[in-house]
Amino acid sequence: MTRLSIDGGDPVRERPLPYGRQFLSEEDIAVVVEALRSDWLTTGPSVDSFEKAFAESAGSREAVAVASGTAALHAATFALRIKPGDEVIVPAMTFAASANCVVFQGGTPVFADVDPGSLLIGPGEIAARVTPRTRAIIAVDYAGQPCDYDTLLATASELDLPVIADAAHSMGGRYKGRRVGSLADLNTFSLHPVKHITTGEGGVITTDDPEQARRMRTFRNHGFNVDHHTRDKQGSWFYEMTDLGYNYRLTDFQCALGTSQLRTLSERVARRQAIALRYDESLADMPAVTRLELSDDASHARHIYVILLNLERLKVDRAAVFAALRAEGIGVSVHYIPVHLHPFYRRRFGVRAGLCPVAEAAYERMLTLPMFPQMSDADADDVITALERVLGVYQN
Ligand SMILES: *Cc1c(COP(=O)(O)O)cnc(C)c1O
């Protein structure tokens, strides 16, 4: 029988494969260098051109560039005027920032459970969590698969609630042919290195509402009604602080990088989809693995490839499979610990395990496999080989 690397055998890979990695071309680097030599390091012409290119790519009227995906979510809850006493429905299976953005505004995130097949927020769950204090819904396109927006928006409109789409995973995806970024009232993106395109740190909000875009541009710049670039052009010193804002600006050279990265978005997504298809096919005959369900309505942007272990077929738990795969040189990860289980949320809002049983059960058995555009087919095959080897030894 094979000896696993964790038990002293040879690993599948000598050089570990990370779960995600950025890709910058020589052209991307040249564009940043050029921007660094220009007159503008922050808030200059590259911000406008990035926002225009992003809006065009997302199929929205407006795009607002900010310092991170988290700042984008915060700008969105600000734009919706979330305030103390307000509740916002958020799926439990997401990155903490999807819920933190409600708390930044003094509001209360109300955690909704997810569909067991797709791990996306279920419209039925939303109806169950609505109260007279509900002010908005945050939908998360978990793993890169757009939510069922027709049902979601119909539910939201019946309840007269706006929807924020946290589209950090789904940039470049589509729902019934409509582009991610044009689906909800406000759509937020992250430009962190593991995401589809990167500016180091960065984020974007898209909307068709110019007034909301204006409010968010004010919010990212201390709440000032004009930025220094515009003021300079107008030859005026005057500005007023009309709201409490932050310094959530994205620098000019980051925006230059963003515009350059955006040019290859569709190739990047296509490459992720090809790797995912390779995984889909190999995993179809692994009895200890369940794949997430895919909707026919969606073009999945494949940010992360999540599998669910069928623990009843294994002698060990997820932690042991995780450790064994890491020892084989496979950079597996876990997305995510359900947000309501974090100590902060338990302490501040008194939420407990049992609130979202589907998300909690999925968390116990999930693993994220490596996936990024520069990964080769041979890399993907190493992941499959390691999974076959580890699950073969641990099956009961
Ligand atoms: C990455 C991510 C964010 C936060 O983005 P940052 O740019 O890291 O602040 C928010 N929501 C989800 C679902 C994410 O994956």
Side-chain angles (χ1 to χ4, degrees):
M1 204 164 110
T2 21
R3 203 144 71 111
L4 299 180
S5 173
I6 202 165
D7 299 325
D10 291 331
V12 171
R13 288 178 67 97
E14 289 296 342
R15 229 165 60 93
L17 184 67
Y19 100 82
R21 186 172 162 43
Q22 73 274 15
F23 170 60
L24 274 80
S25 67
E26 285 307 315
E27 196 185 329
D28 291 335
I29 293 164
V31 159
V32 175
V33 170
E34 193 186 328
L36 288 172
R37 292 202 171 104
S38 80
D39 290 339
W40 303 95
L41 273 195
T42 192
T43 318
S46 299
V47 180
D48 296 340
S49 41
F50 176 53
E51 290 183 339
K52 282 200 182 74
F54 200 99
E56 197 165 301
S57 159
S60 63
R61 271 180 78 179
E62 295 272 0
V64 179
V66 291
S68 68
T70 303
L73 284 160
H74 190 185
T77 53
F78 168 82
L80 296 182
R81 301 174 195 270
I82 302 304
K83 59 183 190 313
D86 291 351
E87 295 178 356
V88 178
I89 297 174
V90 184
M93 182 49 69
T94 185
F95 184 60
S98 314
N100 294 349
C101 65
V102 177
V103 187
F104 294 158
Q105 287 291 111
T108 301
V110 172
F111 294 101
D113 211 348
V114 290
D115 174 83
S118 64
L119 304 186
L120 296 172
I121 191 166
E125 265 293 308
I126 292 170
R129 308 276 169 163
V130 165
T131 78
R133 288 182 300 279
T134 310
R135 292 290 172 269
I137 299 163
I138 299 180
V140 178
D141 296 340
Y142 179 78
Q145 172 152 255
C147 295
D148 177 5
Y149 280 96
D150 279 353
T151 312
L152 201 70
L153 293 170
T155 307
S157 117
E158 257 167 53
L159 297 162
D160 201 19
L161 295 172
V163 176
I164 298 172
D166 180 344
H169 294 187
S170 56
M171 189 188 297
R174 282 172 188 258
Y175 171 77
K176 295 190 178 172
R178 278 132 63 195
R179 279 175 273 175
V180 166
S182 69
L183 296 165
D185 299 291
L186 298 164
N187 310 270
T188 69
F189 297 88
S190 164
L191 307 173
H192 180 277
V194 297
K195 305 285 163 67
H196 293 78
I197 66 164
T198 190
T199 57
E201 299 283 359
V204 179
I205 314 98
T206 60
T207 181
D208 283 338
D209 184 338
E211 175 54 20
Q212 291 291 47
R214 191 198 58 75
R215 273 174 60 71
M216 293 187 288
R217 290 197 178 97
T218 297
F219 180 72
R220 75 167 171 207
N221 190 35
H222 308 283
F224 295 160
N225 57 0
V226 255
D227 64 49
H228 71 121
H229 180 54
T230 313
R231 218 161 63 225
D232 235 59
K233 279 198 293 204
Q234 293 169 346
S236 157
W237 53 266
F238 189 74
Y239 63 90
E240 284 178 309
M241 191 184 131
T242 52
D243 266 304
L244 180 63
Y246 294 77
N247 178 354
Y248 279 165
R249 296 184 304 256
L250 194 59
T251 66
D252 227 46
F253 55 95
Q254 285 176 295
C255 286
L257 176 58
T259 304
S260 182
Q261 289 255 306
L262 202 53
R263 289 190 192 111
T264 55
L265 175 64
S266 54
E267 287 99 307
R268 290 161 179 271
V269 173
R271 179 61 194 145
R272 285 172 176 274
Q273 288 170 336
I275 297 162
L277 195 64
R278 207 174 177 87
Y279 281 157
D280 283 346
E281 284 164 0
S282 316
L283 295 171
D285 7 274
M286 273 193 217
V289 170
T290 297
R291 293 166 294 155
L292 295 188
E293 280 170 15
L294 307 179
S295 160
D296 291 336
D297 291 331
S299 168
H300 192 314
R302 298 294 197 171
H303 166 53
I304 47 175
Y305 196 101
V306 174
I307 60 169
L308 300 174
L309 297 173
N310 299 328
L311 295 174
E312 70 286 357
R313 290 180 176 269
L314 297 170
K315 287 187 287 231
V316 297
D317 63 6
R318 186 266 314 274
V321 177
F322 180 96
L325 286 167
R326 281 283 180 95
E328 298 296 339
I330 307 301
V332 281
S333 186
V334 172
H335 295 89
Y336 297 93
I337 299 169
V339 182
H340 65 288
L341 299 183
H342 286 298
F344 169 80
Y345 280 100
R346 293 176 191 241
R347 196 170 68 235
R348 174 79 78 95
F349 298 102
V351 288
R352 295 279 174 269
L355 182 66
C356 298
V358 177
E360 291 165 29
Y363 163 62
E364 294 297 336
R365 52 193 284 243
M366 63 173 38
L367 280 176
T368 305
L369 306 183
M371 195 164 63
F372 50 96
Q374 289 305 92
M375 219 173 113
S376 67
D377 288 351
D379 291 334
D381 292 344
D382 283 344
V383 176
I384 296 301
T385 303
L387 255 179
E388 277 170 346
R389 191 185 281 185
V390 168
L391 297 180
V393 170
Y394 288 157
Q395 75 190 349
N396 58 20

